[in-house]
Amino acid sequence: MGLIEFLTPGAILIMGGLLAGLLPARLRPWAGVALPVLGFAHLLTLDKGLVQTVVLFGQELTPVRVDGLSLVFGYVFFIAAILGGIYSLRVRDGVQVVAALTYVGSAVGAIFAGDLVTLFVYWELTAVTSVFLVWAGRTERSRRAGMRYLVIQVGSGVILLAGVILHFVDTGSLDFVKLIGDDGRLAAASFGVLLVFLAFGIKCAFPLLHNWLQDSYPESTPTGTLYLSIFTTKLAVYALARGYPGTGALIVIGAIMTAFPIFFAVIENDLRRVLTYSLNNQLGFMVVGIGIGTELALNGSAAYAFANIIFEGLLFMAMGAVLLRTGTCLGSELGGLYK
């Protein structure tokens, strides 16, 4: 097995992203385009069904698993990363370039993880790398929002780790496969499986666990908000589709998600915050499909996630352009443009 097949598809972005900070300022933005293109090319060389394992501390781990579900998310993550890199060509800030590339690479690595330990590592990496996109706003509000965001995201990882440990004690398995029983009842699940579900729910912005989304994303830079809107919550959607298909509770949770954010969106003045409520609403449809759990419903959720990454990203691009040209995203200060 060649080294290229052993590397997770996100490795090029993570390693290249760290080195991108050493490039001259005028070349850094081009790394944001070139590295996702190289990563996508790497992904296209991997055969569907590839499973790459390693043994660590006596446990067999699967850092790379390529199947239909991971490929769907892998393709759209790279497409979005390439488009995001083009959108960010004006950015010379090394912090944003490095953070964006390593963040995307970590998210990609997570969706190709075949075991829960590898998933946890990338899960936490997405938290640590993405917070710098919030802090890149370089305001007091962004600094405070970034700290709250980091606490929530790292907390999600700690809960995930606790759940993985308890699940391993119960079953002796670290495989990232369907964790819920065929009956789809959370009430019958082990405590470890419930903790993993909670960790996924935090990152997916379930009702009452969602405030970090509206709190942090609008405080980032125009390009930082774009990247944030794409990868964190869609990684959670992928994780739910992998681990909890057919979980009845997700139908109720998703239905609530589709409804309640709209009431907040219509009274919100900050148009980027309006879009975060819209994002929350769109996630609900995906969650409902995963909860239904049939092949058609799961395909629909994956397809909707694919489409949403493109059109929601475009909406955040548009708002970023407004912010860049006018200096504000407050509807009350945009005159007739807000309509």
Side-chain angles (χ1 to χ4, degrees):
M1 189 72 68
L3 178 62
I4 192 69
E5 293 174 303
F6 179 79
L7 289 174
T8 178
I12 291 175
L13 293 175
I14 295 173
M15 295 184 293
L18 292 173
L19 294 174
L22 303 177
L23 293 174
R26 69 181 183 279
L27 296 180
R28 286 176 195 148
W30 293 101
V33 180
L35 289 172
V37 169
L38 289 175
F40 200 4
H42 171 212
L43 175 59
L44 294 176
T45 67
L46 302 181
D47 295 327
K48 184 178 179 180
L50 172 67
V51 176
Q52 187 61 264
T53 61
V54 298
V55 177
L56 186 65
F57 300 116
Q59 297 296 324
E60 186 175 84
L61 303 180
T62 310
V64 180
R65 175 185 56 194
V66 183
D67 60 13
L69 183 61
S70 58
L71 281 174
V72 168
F73 281 85
Y75 290 152
V76 73
F77 274 15
F78 275 114
I79 292 170
I82 293 169
L83 296 176
I86 295 171
Y87 182 75
S88 306
L89 281 176
R90 57 171 286 277
V91 176
R92 300 293 186 267
D93 182 3
V95 171
Q96 289 190 68
V97 174
V98 173
L101 287 169
T102 52
Y103 170 44
V104 175
S106 301
V108 170
I111 65 173
F112 286 97
D115 67 87
L116 292 167
V117 173
T118 303
L119 175 69
F120 162 74
V121 172
Y122 286 118
W123 196 267
E124 289 290 62
L125 277 175
T126 60
V128 174
T129 53
S130 60
V131 71
F132 287 97
L133 294 174
V134 181
W135 284 333
R138 292 185 170 85
T139 65
E140 181 62 20
R141 286 172 61 92
S142 67
R143 186 187 70 81
R144 291 179 179 273
M147 287 301 301
R148 293 189 292 269
Y149 172 87
L150 185 62
V151 169
I152 295 296
Q153 295 300 313
V154 171
S156 169
V158 172
I159 293 171
L160 174 60
L161 179 60
V164 169
I165 293 172
L166 291 176
H167 178 66
F168 177 71
V169 171
D170 289 339
T171 65
S173 173
L174 291 171
D175 294 337
F176 185 24
V177 292
K178 183 178 180 181
L179 301 175
I180 197 73
D182 290 335
D183 60 1
R185 293 176 60 246
L186 282 177
S190 68
F191 187 55
V193 169
L194 292 176
L195 286 179
V196 174
F197 182 80
L198 176 59
F200 291 173
I202 292 172
K203 224 174 187 71
C204 196
F206 280 1
L208 304 182
L209 303 174
H210 68 285
N211 287 332
W212 61 268
L213 190 69
Q214 289 79 27
D215 178 44
S216 58
Y217 284 14
E219 303 305 327
S220 182
T221 63
T223 54
T225 304
L226 169 64
Y227 283 103
L228 290 167
S229 71
I230 293 170
F231 297 101
T232 295
T233 51
K234 302 311 185 302
L235 170 57
V237 168
Y238 163 82
L240 288 169
R242 174 75 68 186
Y244 296 89
T247 302
L250 288 177
I251 300 175
V252 177
I253 292 171
I256 295 172
M257 289 174 70
T258 63
F260 87 88
I262 302 304
F263 296 100
F264 293 96
V266 296
I267 61 174
E268 177 58 55
N269 191 30
D270 186 324
L271 298 184
R272 288 205 295 177
R273 189 164 280 111
V274 169
L275 290 184
T276 62
Y277 284 118
S278 168
L279 173 59
N280 216 168
N281 158 264
Q282 299 296 303
L283 291 169
F285 292 102
M286 305 170 207
V287 171
V288 168
I290 295 168
I292 294 171
T294 63
E295 182 178 1
L296 181 62
L298 292 172
N299 286 341
S301 290
Y304 196 76
F306 193 108
N308 177 261
I309 285 173
I310 302 300
F311 75 72
E312 199 84 44
L314 180 58
L315 287 169
F316 276 98
M317 286 182 182
M319 270 309 108
V322 170
L323 178 61
L324 177 67
R325 295 304 181 188
T326 68
T328 183
C329 275
L330 298 179
S332 59
E333 297 181 13
L334 291 173
L337 182 61
Y338 84 96
K339 295 181 181 180

